[in-house]
Amino acid sequence: MNNSVTNTARLLGAGLRALLVLTLVCGVLYPLAVTGIAQGIFPGKANGSEIKADGKVVGSSLIGQQGYSLDYFQPRPANGLGGNSVNTQYKLILSGATNRAGDNPELIKWVKEAKAKVVKDNSTADYKVRPSQVPADAVTSSGSGLDPDISPAYADLQVHRVAERNGLPVAQVQKLVDEHTEGRTLGFMGEPRINVLELNIALKDLVAKS
C-alpha cells in the first residue's frame, strides 16, 4: 500500500514538473523568442502592416477600406462582405465571397450596374469613359471582399475625375498613380497593383500642399 502511494506521489510530482517545464518553454520562452525575432527582423509585418497618416494608424496595407467619397480613388466592390449578426455588441464586418457563378443572373446584374456607375462617376467634362475601358476589378469583388489593391488600369480610369474634383492637373494626379504602382512580386508573381489607402493618403497630402 505504501509503495503504491509512493509511486503515485512520484508520478504526480513528475507530471507536475513536466507541466511546469512545458508551460515555461511553450507558454513563456517560445512566445517571447518568436515575438522578439519578429519585432527585430520585420516589425511592420509583425504589427499588422499598419499604415500611418498624420502620426496615427489609419489602416492596414493588407485590408481594403470602403466608403471613400468621389474626391478619392475608389477601391474594388465588396459584395461579399457581410455584417455581424451574432455578436452585435461589436460592429464587425465579415469577410467573404459572393459565391455566385459566372453565369449567375444576380452577379451579371451587379456587374452591369457597377460598370454603368463606373462610367458615369468617372466621366468628366473633358474626358468620357467608354464601357470597354472598365477593367474587371472595377466591377467585381475579390474572394475575401477585402482586397486593398486595384489595377493600374482602374486607377488610370479614375485620374480625370479625381483631378477635376480636387482642382489638380491631370498630369500631377497621373504621376501620383505611377509612383504608387507596384510591379509583380519577384518580377513574375501576381499582377501590377496599387494600394488604394496609400494612394489616397498621398492624394490628401498633395491636395493640402496645392
Side-chain angles (χ1 to χ4, degrees):
M1 184 63 135
N2 289 336
N3 288 337
S4 177
V5 172
T6 301
N7 290 336
T8 301
R10 288 175 178 172
L11 289 174
L12 288 174
L16 181 59
R17 287 193 296 273
L19 175 62
L20 291 175
V21 170
L22 289 173
T23 299
L24 178 63
V25 173
C26 300
V28 179
L29 297 180
Y30 177 74
L32 286 176
V34 171
T35 300
I37 293 171
Q39 290 292 336
I41 298 177
F42 31 79
K45 292 183 178 180
N47 292 324
S49 302
E50 297 172 340
I51 295 179
K52 294 183 177 180
D54 301 324
K56 61 182 180 181
V57 176
V58 295
S60 168
S61 63
L62 304 176
I63 300 177
Q65 299 182 5
Q66 299 292 318
Y68 292 109
S69 74
L70 288 177
D71 292 350
Y72 293 93
F73 286 90
Q74 301 298 300
R76 294 185 65 171
N79 293 328
L81 293 182
N84 169 36
S85 60
V86 179
N87 189 349
T88 55
Q89 180 180 356
Y90 302 100
K91 186 177 180 181
L92 302 176
I93 296 297
L94 306 181
S95 169
T98 61
N99 292 325
R100 304 293 196 280
D103 59 353
N104 183 278
E106 190 174 19
L107 178 61
I108 293 173
K109 179 174 178 289
W110 286 346
V111 170
K112 287 182 177 179
E113 290 175 350
K115 179 176 282 192
K117 189 174 188 304
V118 168
V119 170
K120 178 182 177 182
D121 288 346
N122 292 284
S123 293
T124 67
D126 302 321
Y127 179 77
K128 300 301 178 185
V129 176
R130 301 187 305 275
S132 59
Q133 292 178 267
V134 180
D137 63 307
V139 296
T140 57
S141 61
S142 63
S144 67
L146 298 173
D147 191 345
D149 304 321
I150 56 175
S151 66
Y154 188 25
D156 291 344
L157 191 74
Q158 302 182 59
V159 165
H160 287 78
R161 184 250 304 156
V162 170
E164 181 181 76
R165 292 182 69 95
N166 289 284
L168 296 170
V170 170
Q172 197 172 22
V173 178
Q174 183 64 60
K175 182 173 182 290
L176 200 66
V177 169
D178 295 340
E179 290 173 346
H180 284 79
T181 300
E182 299 180 44
R184 291 180 170 87
T185 303
L186 299 179
F188 67 94
M189 291 191 297
E191 295 294 332
R193 60 199 179 278
I194 299 169
N195 187 283
V196 179
L197 176 56
E198 293 177 350
L199 178 60
N200 281 335
I201 290 173
L203 173 64
K204 184 179 179 181
D205 291 341
L206 179 62
V207 172
K209 295 175 183 176
S210 300

